[in-house]
Amino acid sequence: MASVVPLPLNFNTFSSSYNSSERLRFGSYSRKKKKNPTKNATFVCKAATSLVFRDLDADDFRHPLDKQNTLILRAIPGLNELGKALLGSVSEQVMLLENIGTSVLVSENQLPELHQLMIEAAKILNIESPDLYVRQSPVPNAYTLAISGKKPFIVVHTSLVELLTRKELQAVLAHELGHLKCDHGVWLTFANILTLGAYSVPGLGGLIAQSLEEQLFRWLRAAELTCDRAALLVAQDSKVVISVLMKLAGGCPSMADQLNVDAFLEQARSYEKASSSPMGWYIRNAQTRQLSHPLPVLRAREIDEWSRGHDYRYLLKRAAQNSVV
């Protein structure tokens, strides 16, 4: 994505993150928790065995709702100009220094496993690898920032690293790379600055923000569905992506080995059935209208369906054909 304001990372903000649609605070983890065998296993280069999408374009996997809502945003008169006016060089510098100054920069000789996961994911998605930072936080989250004229970077919280396997963590990185691939940052920046900035403007400020807020949330939820697809393109296993969503909805390191992806998908189907009635539809809309991310069960259902569809299979087939050319 092009630029994102690092607001407090909860779901009432517009930060581009991999979080679910509810606040996730697991608190302190027990030192006696079971070890995840995947975390201590010898790291194997995945890109050598995974299909690489050498000619991948963002529109190859962009969700239809993302396309639709992007067109709606572009049609709003004066949105670009207002966003640029509200975003200045000082706030950009504050964002940059605040994130870099409180995190660890990942590199070949600093957390090399994470560095390799990022390099591989970027290669598979045919995008330049951004910088990657790890930040101490009890809230499992990851987000992407790109400041004008500077290299974009992704921030991953330590609690997310503890919660996920390496494959799942790479799916999260791929999700964040999806924002960059699809140029989501332009609109995410406007969402942050316009809504928060407009509320501080006397008189018309609140009215402007209220008129745009619902549409911005709708676009943000659609953008997250697109980036879940980017995660699947890298993981090339829908259960890996769904497992991430399940753990964000209700996982913790001490019980991670007891979670069941198939049971979570069945839960997603139950939610869809329960919300199909007129009253259920109304409650579902009320439940999601003010969320920046779709509900985890809805995201799981979406990615499960896309993994079974023609578009995903076609991309895999095209990548396989390109790999032998």
Side-chain angles (χ1 to χ4, degrees):
M1 88 196 184
S3 45
V4 175
V5 179
L7 301 172
L9 294 177
N10 58 56
F11 303 112
N12 294 321
T13 69
F14 297 98
S15 55
S16 167
S17 67
Y18 201 88
N19 261 324
S20 72
S21 55
E22 297 182 7
R23 292 192 175 111
L24 302 169
R25 296 184 181 275
F26 293 105
S28 300
Y29 300 127
S30 169
R31 295 181 181 272
K32 296 182 179 180
K33 65 180 182 289
K34 294 180 180 179
K35 292 183 179 179
N36 187 332
T38 309
K39 292 183 181 297
N40 296 322
T42 302
F43 185 77
V44 178
C45 181
K46 180 183 174 184
T49 57
S50 298
L51 290 173
V52 175
F53 302 92
R54 296 177 181 173
D55 57 351
L56 185 69
D57 184 79
D59 284 337
D60 290 336
F61 63 93
R62 197 186 301 270
H63 195 281
L65 290 175
D66 186 357
K67 296 178 182 179
Q68 175 185 330
N69 284 285
T70 297
L71 290 175
I72 293 173
L73 283 182
R74 286 176 177 168
I76 297 175
L79 180 60
N80 284 11
E81 291 73 16
L82 184 55
K84 291 175 181 177
L86 292 171
L87 181 61
S89 59
V90 174
S91 60
E92 288 183 339
Q93 193 69 10
V94 169
M95 290 186 288
L96 184 66
L97 293 177
E98 197 274 336
N99 279 275
I100 294 179
T102 58
S103 310
V104 173
L105 175 62
V106 175
S107 66
E108 291 181 359
N109 57 9
Q110 180 73 281
L111 302 174
E113 280 192 18
L114 296 184
H115 175 72
Q116 188 64 25
L117 290 175
M118 173 62 81
I119 296 299
E120 290 175 0
K123 179 180 179 182
I124 292 171
L125 291 176
N126 190 32
I127 185 174
E128 183 179 352
S129 178
D131 286 335
L132 174 61
Y133 289 86
V134 175
R135 184 172 186 173
Q136 188 69 240
S137 174
V139 183
N141 199 8
Y143 53 96
T144 305
L145 297 99
I147 310 302
S148 300
K150 296 179 175 63
K151 187 176 182 179
F153 61 93
I154 292 172
V155 179
V156 176
H157 288 181
T158 51
S159 52
L160 189 66
V161 176
E162 289 297 311
L163 181 64
L164 304 179
T165 68
R166 290 296 181 258
K167 287 183 179 180
E168 292 165 353
L169 187 57
Q170 187 173 54
V172 169
L173 296 177
H175 176 102
E176 297 305 319
L177 287 171
H179 285 299
L180 292 170
K181 183 79 176 179
C182 295
D183 247 353
H184 282 160
V186 173
W187 304 107
L188 285 161
T189 298
F190 292 164
N192 279 291
I193 299 300
L194 184 58
T195 32
L196 292 183
Y199 275 125
S200 66
V201 177
L204 294 178
L207 180 62
I208 294 172
Q210 290 172 13
S211 66
L212 289 174
E213 185 178 41
E214 186 171 335
Q215 180 56 50
L216 288 167
F217 272 127
R218 188 179 296 117
W219 175 83
L220 285 163
R221 293 192 296 270
E224 291 301 306
L225 297 178
T226 290
C227 293
D228 285 345
R229 293 180 173 189
L232 178 59
L233 290 175
V234 170
Q236 295 172 24
D237 181 350
S238 60
K239 287 193 173 183
V240 172
V241 181
I242 295 168
S243 181
V244 174
L245 298 169
M246 175 178 61
K247 288 181 178 181
L248 288 172
C252 63
S254 63
M255 296 191 297
D257 59 344
Q258 300 180 49
L259 291 168
N260 186 310
V261 168
D262 292 328
F264 190 66
L265 274 175
E266 185 58 37
Q267 178 183 335
R269 296 185 189 101
S270 297
Y271 180 87
E272 188 172 352
K273 182 179 179 180
S275 61
S276 61
S277 67
M279 179 58 70
W281 180 87
Y282 175 82
I283 294 172
R284 172 174 166 171
N285 280 355
Q287 186 178 19
T288 60
R289 187 178 298 121
Q290 295 302 315
L291 297 177
S292 61
H293 290 57
L295 296 172
V297 290
L298 298 180
R299 292 172 69 178
R301 186 78 169 126
E302 279 277 344
I303 205 62
D304 179 58
E305 291 182 353
W306 195 66
S307 72
R308 302 171 189 272
H310 168 77
D311 291 345
Y312 175 63
R313 292 198 303 269
Y314 170 74
L315 289 175
L316 292 178
K317 181 179 179 181
R318 192 176 75 184
Q321 291 173 340
N322 289 342
S323 68
V324 297
V325 174

